[in-house]
Amino acid sequence: MMGRAVSHRAAALNRALATPSLGVRDEMPHWRPMDTDLPDFRTRASLRADLGRIGVRAGDTVMVHAAMSKVGPLLNGPDALANALLDVVGADGTMLVYTSWDSVHDDLLDDDGRVLPEWRDHVPAFDARTSRAVRMNGVIAEFVRTMPGARRSANPGASVAAVGKLADWITADHRLDYGFGEDTPLSRLVEVGGRVLMVGAPWDTMTLIHHADHLADIPDKRLVRIEVPLAGPNGTLWPMMEEFETGDPVHEGLPDDYIERIVTAYVEGGGGRQGPVGLAPSLLVDASPMLAFAIEWLEAWVRRPRSG
C-alpha cells in the first residue's frame, strides 16, 4: 500500500507540473533562459578592446564626445567608457571632454549683452570647481568633470575637463576672451598631437572645428559679446566676454550644417578611422590634420564665387 500511495503522489505531482491550471507552476517564480534574454552588456574590458581596435594608443591625448545611449547597455554606465579610455591611454595619456556650463541665462541679456537688472541676483555665477557641464554635451562630460583627479578650465563657455598626465597644463590659464583660439585647451590638444574620438556622437558636435573658426582667415566673422557672472572670493564678478560666434555659423555665408560637412568631407577623403565602440558607430581623427582641413575648407567656402 505504501508503494502504491507513493506512486499516486508522484503521478499527481507530475500532472500538476505539466498542467499550469492546477496552480503549481503559477506559484513558481518566472524564469528566463539565461543564454537568450539577458542584456548584452558592454563592459570596461570590452570597451577597452574596442578602443584599441579603432586606434587609440597608450600615451594618447584624446578629446572624447559620446552619445552614451548608442553605446548599448553598460555595466557601470558612462564610467565604463571613461575608465576604459583611461586604461588604454595609460599613465602617460590624457582624456578631455568639452564641458561648457549648464547656464541658461542667454535669454536674459539686453541688447548690449548684459544680464537684465531684475535677474542679476538670480543668475548663478560660474565656478569651474562646481558648475555643471552643459547637458546638451551628453552625460559623459559631467561624469568626467567629477572624476577623481579631474581638472576643469576657467572659461565658462569654452571650458574643458581633463584627466591624466597633461590635465593641469591643458586646462591652465584659459582666458575669457576668444577661448577657442590660440593658447587654449584646443590649441594645446593640437600641439601635443592629440586626437578626437566621436563615440556615436553626431559629427556636428566636434568642438575642435570651433578652433578652426577662430584660426581661419575669413572676413566678417560673427562676434558675440556678453556679460558672464563669475564666482569670486568676495562675491560675483560681472566681466564682459568676447568670442567668435559658436551657436551659429561663424560667417553668414556658411551653411547651418557646416561642421558636419567639414567632418564628412575629411572622412570621405580618407581621414580618420571608423569602427564600433560598444554598439556606437565611432570615429577617431588626429586633431592636427583635421584642424588644417577644416581651416582650408572654411576659407575656400567663404571665398568661393557666389552665383547671382
Side-chain angles (χ1 to χ4, degrees), residues 65-66 98 136-137 198 201-208 259-260:
H65 301 264
Y98 174 52
M136 72 176 63
N137 288 356
M198 312 294 288
W203 289 356
D204 65 358
T205 63
M206 187 181 289
T207 308
L208 179 67
I259 295 178
E260 182 179 1

Side-chain angles (χ1 to χ4, degrees), residues 55-77:
V56 180
R57 305 176 299 246
D60 276 349
T61 297
V62 181
M63 185 172 204
V64 60
H65 301 264
M68 295 305 305
S69 63
K70 295 185 179 180
V71 179
L74 285 171
L75 287 176
N76 204 32

Side-chain angles (χ1 to χ4, degrees), residues 108-111 114-123 227 238:
L108 304 176
L109 304 176
D110 64 19
D111 292 341
R114 297 188 180 278
V115 175
L116 296 168
E118 61 268 31
W119 285 100
R120 291 177 74 84
D121 292 337
H122 304 285
V123 176
E227 190 174 42
W238 294 91

Side-chain angles (χ1 to χ4, degrees), residues 20 23-34 37-38:
V24 175
R25 292 204 65 171
D26 289 345
E27 295 173 3
M28 297 175 66
H30 293 289
W31 59 278
R32 299 179 306 178
M34 292 185 65
D37 290 348
L38 287 177

Side-chain angles (χ1 to χ4, degrees), residues 90-159:
D92 290 329
T94 307
M95 172 177 60
L96 291 75
V97 292
Y98 174 52
T99 53
S100 186
W101 69 311
D102 202 25
S103 171
V104 294
H105 79 280
D106 290 0
D107 293 331
L108 304 176
L109 304 176
D110 64 19
D111 292 341
D112 295 322
R114 297 188 180 278
V115 175
L116 296 168
E118 61 268 31
W119 285 100
R120 291 177 74 84
D121 292 337
H122 304 285
V123 176
F126 173 77
D127 187 329
R129 300 167 300 172
T130 60
S131 294
R132 298 291 188 188
V134 66
R135 280 171 284 184
M136 72 176 63
N137 288 356
V139 297
I140 190 70
E142 182 65 9
F143 270 72
V144 172
R145 185 193 73 81
T146 55
M147 291 182 76
R151 302 290 184 266
R152 202 249 194 99
S153 66
N155 179 304
S159 66

Side-chain angles (χ1 to χ4, degrees), residues 304-308:
R304 78 195 193 290
R306 299 190 184 185
S307 60

Side-chain angles (χ1 to χ4, degrees), residues 165-216:
K165 183 177 181 179
L166 299 179
D168 285 320
W169 174 71
I170 285 174
T171 59
D173 303 321
H174 197 175
R175 65 179 181 272
L176 287 183
D177 288 342
Y178 300 101
F180 296 95
E182 298 94 340
D183 196 24
T184 65
L186 291 178
S187 71
R188 293 168 189 167
L189 173 70
V190 176
E191 181 180 338
V192 298
R195 314 175 89 184
V196 179
L197 175 64
M198 312 294 288
V199 179
W203 289 356
D204 65 358
T205 63
M206 187 181 289
T207 308
L208 179 67
I209 306 304
H210 292 314
H211 187 39
D213 291 341
H214 182 98
L215 297 177

